[in-house]
Amino acid sequence: MPSALTPADFEELRQLLARFAHVFDNGDTEALEEVFTDDGVIVLAGPGREFHGLAAIREFNTSLGELSPDHHTLDTVFDVDPEDPYGTVRARSRYLAVLPDGSVHNGDYVDVLVRTPKGWRIAHRRSVPRHPVRVG
Amino acid sequence: MPSALTPADFEELRQLLARFAHVFDNGDTEALEEVFTDDGVIVLAGPGREFHGLAAIREFNTSLGELSPDHHTLDTVFDVDPEDPYGTVRARSRYLAVLPDGSVHNGDYVDVLVRTPKGWRIAHRRSVPRHPVRVG
Amino acid sequence: MPSALTPADFEELRQLLARFAHVFDNGDTEALEEVFTDDGVIVLAGPGREFHGLAAIREFNTSLGELSPDHHTLDTVFDVDPEDPYGTVRARSRYLAVLPDGSVHNGDYVDVLVRTPKGWRIAHRRSVPRHPVRVG
């Protein structure tokens, strides 16, 4: 296990990844600043869309409306970045998405998480579908 | 992160939430006392049903029989109650339920978790469906 | 909570269980040695199949090919083995499997996890289906 992070860091990182689901799926766009950095990026590898910065992420969140799936995050493994062992963590998780019609999709979240003065935040999230579209 | 709780507390809280699934879904009604306080409450916001106290929760568990869904809990965020920072935690999680027909439902668990002489327990759980019934 | 394990042990154990999904589902057979002991065992209680040792587990993984479900692990409770409180942990988790056709199966993982010079590893995993086949 990486030695530069404390158990309290890992606990906060886990809660950060969990918080994404509650904030994003409830359309709580104000609180997205508790999840992403100001210059945070979401890349959707399936459709090939990208959102750069909090304003774009908020607009994306709002645009989904009632058709938005619910997100659930699990199976996270963390790797501390050796170039910045106290402040940058690379995480790989799975997501399970429940769509409005009840079908379930899954895939990988490949994240870069950074320590900021306000706490850990997602600086970059690459979302790669597995089912129904398996990539890579 | 709340400073009044230790990493060992968070680990125990996570295992408490996990234990619910194993105990409840296996109909291990005796062991429900390891999950809920004696006066524990479950509120099902969808159908508007409430169960007050261990005896009522046990009866509810037994009543479900073979039709009971399997429960899975994830995406938990914890907030320490500022009025009782060492002994009361508010947790918000997602559940994923697998029904006997294979369909998947999801929703929110809004819990009040309390420290007792026997360990952390669920004092109050409000279960709010998202799919197929989205509330709030 | 077991006192013989530190919060860092629990964090590593959680990441071990998460790593299984990424390694196995990506068919990264080399990396299976980061998940299982050399003499690791997988027992599939549903079909009654067993795989003994890393070579057999790797062959099983490869044999599944494109038909392999994706695995997700959650709801883990840990019990330290009183006979070996620093080196053996019994874990009970749920799995959620997403099949290539999008259907979702679930069940229990009953694991024996051991501390090795290279880190925690799965020594024995018994996978017991709940849906669509409920056992026990």
Side-chain angles (χ1 to χ4, degrees):
Chain A
M1 192 161 84
S3 58
L5 299 189
T6 66
D9 282 317
F10 285 110
E11 179 58 36
E12 188 181 329
L13 287 165
R14 290 186 181 282
Q15 291 192 42
L16 168 66
L17 296 177
R19 196 175 303 276
F20 166 78
H22 299 290
V23 167
F24 194 89
D25 295 349
N26 290 335
D28 185 3
T29 54
E30 272 309 304
L32 282 166
E33 69 187 24
E34 300 170 20
V35 178
F36 291 95
T37 59
D38 289 348
D39 59 355
V41 175
I42 295 179
V43 175
L44 304 181
R49 300 181 67 190
E50 300 193 8
F51 307 93
H52 291 256
L54 263 181
I57 292 172
R58 285 176 167 141
E59 191 177 2
F60 168 51
N61 190 0
T62 301
S63 73
L64 291 173
E66 290 298 310
L67 296 176
S68 185
D70 275 343
H71 300 79
H72 310 79
T73 307
L74 71 174
D75 280 344
T76 304
V77 292
F78 296 105
D79 284 301
V80 172
D81 188 323
E83 308 265 314
D84 181 19
Y86 291 89
T88 304
V89 169
R90 291 167 191 281
R92 177 175 287 264
S93 307
R94 282 288 175 72
Y95 68 80
L96 290 168
V98 177
L99 275 66
D101 67 1
S103 62
V104 175
H105 292 184
N106 80 324
D108 294 305
Y109 283 149
V110 184
D111 293 334
V112 180
L113 311 173
V114 297
R115 192 197 300 270
T116 80
K118 294 178 181 173
W120 288 94
R121 295 289 186 275
I122 302 174
H124 195 283
R125 162 160 290 182
R126 182 174 168 83
S127 176
V128 186
R130 297 180 69 95
H131 175 82
V133 178
R134 290 177 193 245
V135 171
Chain B
M1 191 161 84
S3 58
L5 298 189
T6 66
D9 282 317
F10 284 111
E11 178 58 37
E12 188 181 329
L13 287 165
R14 289 187 182 280
Q15 292 193 42
L16 168 66
L17 296 177
R19 197 175 302 277
F20 167 78
H22 299 290
V23 167
F24 194 89
D25 295 348
N26 291 335
D28 185 4
T29 53
E30 273 308 303
L32 281 167
E33 69 187 24
E34 300 169 19
V35 178
F36 291 95
T37 58
D38 289 348
D39 59 355
V41 174
I42 294 179
V43 175
L44 304 180
R49 300 181 67 191
E50 300 194 7
F51 307 94
H52 291 256
L54 263 181
I57 291 172
R58 285 176 167 142
E59 191 176 3
F60 167 51
N61 191 0
T62 301
S63 74
L64 292 172
E66 292 297 311
L67 295 177
S68 185
D70 275 343
H71 300 79
H72 310 79
T73 308
L74 70 174
D75 280 343
T76 303
V77 292
F78 296 105
D79 284 300
V80 171
D81 188 323
E83 307 267 313
D84 180 20
Y86 291 90
T88 303
V89 169
R90 291 166 192 280
R92 176 176 288 265
S93 308
R94 282 286 177 73
Y95 67 79
L96 290 169
V98 177
L99 275 66
D101 68 0
S103 61
V104 175
H105 291 184
N106 79 325
D108 294 306
Y109 284 149
V110 184
D111 294 333
V112 180
L113 311 173
V114 297
R115 192 195 299 269
T116 80
K118 295 178 180 175
W120 289 93
R121 295 289 186 275
I122 302 173
H124 195 284
R125 161 161 290 182
R126 182 174 169 81
S127 177
V128 185
R130 297 180 69 95
H131 174 81
V133 178
R134 290 177 193 245
V135 172
Chain C
M1 193 161 84
S3 58
L5 299 189
T6 66
D9 282 317
F10 284 110
E11 179 58 37
E12 188 181 329
L13 288 165
R14 289 187 182 279
Q15 292 193 42
L16 168 66
L17 296 177
R19 196 175 303 276
F20 167 79
H22 298 290
V23 167
F24 194 89
D25 295 349
N26 291 335
D28 185 4
T29 54
E30 272 309 303
L32 281 166
E33 70 187 24
E34 299 169 19
V35 178
F36 291 95
T37 59
D38 289 347
D39 59 354
V41 175
I42 295 178
V43 175
L44 304 180
R49 300 181 68 191
E50 301 194 5
F51 307 94
H52 291 257
L54 264 181
I57 291 172
R58 285 175 167 143
E59 191 176 3
F60 168 50
N61 190 0
T62 302
S63 73
L64 291 173
E66 290 297 311
L67 295 177
S68 185
D70 276 343
H71 300 79
H72 309 79
T73 308
L74 70 175
D75 280 344
T76 304
V77 293
F78 296 105
D79 284 301
V80 171
D81 188 324
E83 308 265 314
D84 181 19
Y86 291 90
T88 304
V89 168
R90 291 165 192 282
R92 177 176 287 265
S93 308
R94 282 287 175 72
Y95 67 80
L96 289 169
V98 177
L99 275 66
D101 68 0
S103 61
V104 175
H105 291 184
N106 79 324
D108 294 306
Y109 283 150
V110 184
D111 293 333
V112 180
L113 311 173
V114 297
R115 192 196 300 269
T116 79
K118 294 179 181 174
W120 288 93
R121 295 290 185 276
I122 302 174
H124 195 284
R125 162 161 290 182
R126 183 175 168 82
S127 176
V128 186
R130 297 179 69 96
H131 175 82
V133 178
R134 290 177 193 244
V135 171

